[in-house]
């Protein structure tokens, strides 16, 4: 009877923890010898167990109700967010088509290479102010008739494989790529600056350039793996030397001597080296 009264009291008063506290209180009294019945501690524990099961069922029911309510309320808003995201991306694409400008900033890695290659292919497939009506005429244009793509560079270099992917994309597109260096063009970024359209490789007067040989990091590897890694680094270094020799007009031997250490250059020195063609003066000289 005590257990039933305690259970009814806890449920009727809508206080979830009344049942548990009273049951354990009765259990303590039974331990001290204040009760007349020896079976009362067992009944108190049974009442506490019943109370815990009731609380767990209530929590599960409340959680399921909250999930259903959240699904009804959130689903329309998520659809609106997706629609707004698509609408937000359209002006960016239209602006990219009109200005035909690409910005290569920061470290060159796979994600940056993916972004640059995607934009190069996109701009090469359309002309300035093109639409769906004259899209066929744009594809029939010769490379000389296509408007240029402007690539603004401010990078300290990065992964050689990612940089070579950008380089191959620059050479693959039919539109001429004009390179502009602001800030710095170091390591792989200097080769991309030199790979622009001849006569349109430009730098601002405060830009800095740096070329050096390829580097790699080898740690805690087997001897055979170190040899494989070393040979791959030598191969990539020879590729970079050949590319610089191709775009600067210098011999491979002179490039190899320059590659021994980090070779820093100003914008005017980069013109003499053959990395760029002209320097934009921001102040009267």
């Amino acid at each position: 009877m005590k257990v039933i009264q305690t259970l009814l009291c806890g449920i009727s008063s809508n206080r979830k923890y009344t049942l548990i506290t009273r049951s354990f209180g009765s259990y303590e009294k039974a331990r001290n010898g204040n009760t007349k019945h020896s079976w009362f501690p067992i009944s108190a524990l049974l009442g506490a167990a019943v109370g815990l099961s009731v609380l767990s069922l209530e929590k599960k029911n409340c959680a399921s109700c909250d999930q259903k309510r959240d699904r009804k309320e959130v689903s329309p808003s998520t659809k609106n967010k997706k629609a707004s995201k698509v609408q937000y991306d359209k002006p960016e694409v239209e602006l990219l088509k009109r200005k035909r400008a690409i910005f290569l900033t920061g470290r060159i890695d796979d994600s940056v290479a993916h972004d640059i290659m995607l934009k190069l292919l996109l701009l090469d497939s359309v002309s300035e102010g093109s639409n769906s009506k004259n899209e066929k005429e744009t594809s029939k244009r010769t490379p000389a008739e296509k408007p240029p793509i402007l690539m603004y560079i401010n990078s300290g270099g990065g992964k050689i494989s990612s940089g070579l992917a950008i380089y191959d994309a620059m050479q693959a597109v039919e539109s001429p790529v004009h390179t502009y260096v602001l800030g710095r063009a170091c390591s792989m970024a200097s080769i991309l600056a030199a790979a622009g359209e001849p006569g349109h490789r430009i730098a601002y007067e405060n830009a800095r350039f740096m070329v050096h040989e390829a580097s790699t990091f080898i740690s805690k590897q087997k001897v055979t793996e170190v040899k494989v890694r070393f040979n791959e680094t030598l191969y990539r270094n020879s590729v970079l030397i050949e590319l610089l020799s191709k775009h600067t007009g210098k011999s491979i031997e002179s490039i190899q001597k320059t590659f021994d250490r980090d070779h820093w250059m100003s914008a005017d020195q980069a013109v003499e080296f053959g990395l760029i063609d002209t320097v934009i003066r921001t102040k009267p000289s």
Side-chain angles (χ1 to χ4, degrees):
M1 293 300 294
K2 291 275 187 180
V3 176
I4 297 174
Q5 290 176 0
T6 307
L7 178 60
L8 292 175
C9 180
I11 297 175
S12 61
S13 60
N14 198 17
R15 287 181 292 179
K16 297 179 180 179
Y17 299 99
T18 302
L19 172 62
I20 301 172
T21 54
R22 290 188 179 183
S23 299
F24 278 107
S26 301
Y27 175 69
E28 291 295 331
K29 289 181 180 180
R31 287 183 57 190
N32 297 329
N34 296 329
T35 56
K36 298 179 180 179
H37 303 284
S38 60
W39 53 267
F40 190 74
I42 300 175
S43 64
L45 291 176
L46 290 174
V50 173
L52 290 174
S53 62
V54 171
L55 289 177
S56 62
L57 289 174
E58 289 181 357
K59 288 181 180 179
K60 288 181 180 179
N61 293 332
C62 293
S64 61
C65 294
D66 293 338
Q67 290 178 357
K68 290 180 181 179
R69 185 175 66 254
D70 293 339
R71 288 175 183 173
K72 292 180 181 179
E73 294 177 358
V74 173
S75 56
S77 61
T78 51
K79 291 181 180 179
N80 294 333
K81 287 181 180 179
K82 291 180 180 179
S84 63
K85 185 176 181 181
V86 173
Q87 293 176 0
Y88 179 76
D89 289 340
K90 287 181 180 179
E92 291 184 356
V93 175
E94 295 298 329
L95 182 62
L96 181 67
K97 290 180 180 179
R98 289 198 305 269
K99 297 297 183 180
R100 299 182 65 81
I102 298 175
F103 296 89
L104 175 58
T105 59
R107 187 177 185 275
I108 300 174
D109 55 14
D110 293 339
S111 61
V112 173
H114 175 269
D115 181 63
I116 297 297
M117 290 188 295
L118 184 63
K119 291 177 180 178
L120 283 171
L121 294 175
L122 173 65
L123 295 178
D124 187 53
S125 63
V126 297
S127 64
E128 189 174 2
S130 65
N131 50 35
S132 59
K133 294 182 180 179
N134 58 11
E135 209 169 278
K136 295 181 179 180
E137 298 179 0
T138 303
S139 59
K140 295 179 181 179
R141 289 184 178 183
T142 60
E145 295 176 346
K146 285 192 173 184
I149 299 173
L150 310 181
M151 178 181 289
Y152 293 88
I153 301 174
N154 180 20
S155 173
K159 291 179 63 176
I160 297 177
S161 58
S162 302
L164 292 177
I166 298 174
Y167 174 86
D168 291 337
M170 292 173 63
Q171 305 304 314
V173 296
E174 295 181 350
S175 301
V177 180
H178 298 180
T179 54
Y180 293 82
V181 178
L182 301 93
R184 61 174 180 168
C186 305
S187 189
M188 192 68 220
S190 63
I191 297 177
L192 295 178
E197 185 73 11
H200 299 278
R201 304 175 301 173
I202 304 168
Y204 286 80
E205 61 177 348
N206 293 320
R208 298 286 292 173
F209 295 81
M210 190 268 287
V211 295
H212 61 182
E213 62 183 0
S215 60
T216 185
F217 178 76
I218 302 174
S219 176
K220 296 181 180 180
Q221 294 184 4
K222 298 179 182 179
V223 176
T224 54
E225 294 177 352
V226 171
K227 288 182 179 180
V228 172
R229 191 75 171 269
F230 181 71
N231 292 331
E232 178 64 19
T233 304
L234 288 178
Y235 168 74
R236 292 186 177 185
N237 189 63
S238 63
V239 170
L240 297 182
I241 291 175
E242 290 177 0
L243 291 179
L244 268 183
S245 176
K246 173 184 176 182
H247 294 287
T248 60
K250 290 182 173 295
S251 63
I252 293 179
E253 290 76 12
S254 62
I255 297 294
Q256 287 177 342
K257 292 179 181 179
T258 308
F259 258 39
D260 289 342
R261 296 290 185 272
D262 291 352
H263 186 71
W264 288 90
M265 293 172 281
S266 64
D268 294 326
Q269 291 172 342
V271 173
E272 296 177 1
F273 192 83
L275 289 176
I276 57 174
D277 299 312
T278 58
V279 179
I280 295 178
R281 306 290 177 181
T282 57
K283 297 180 181 179
S285 56

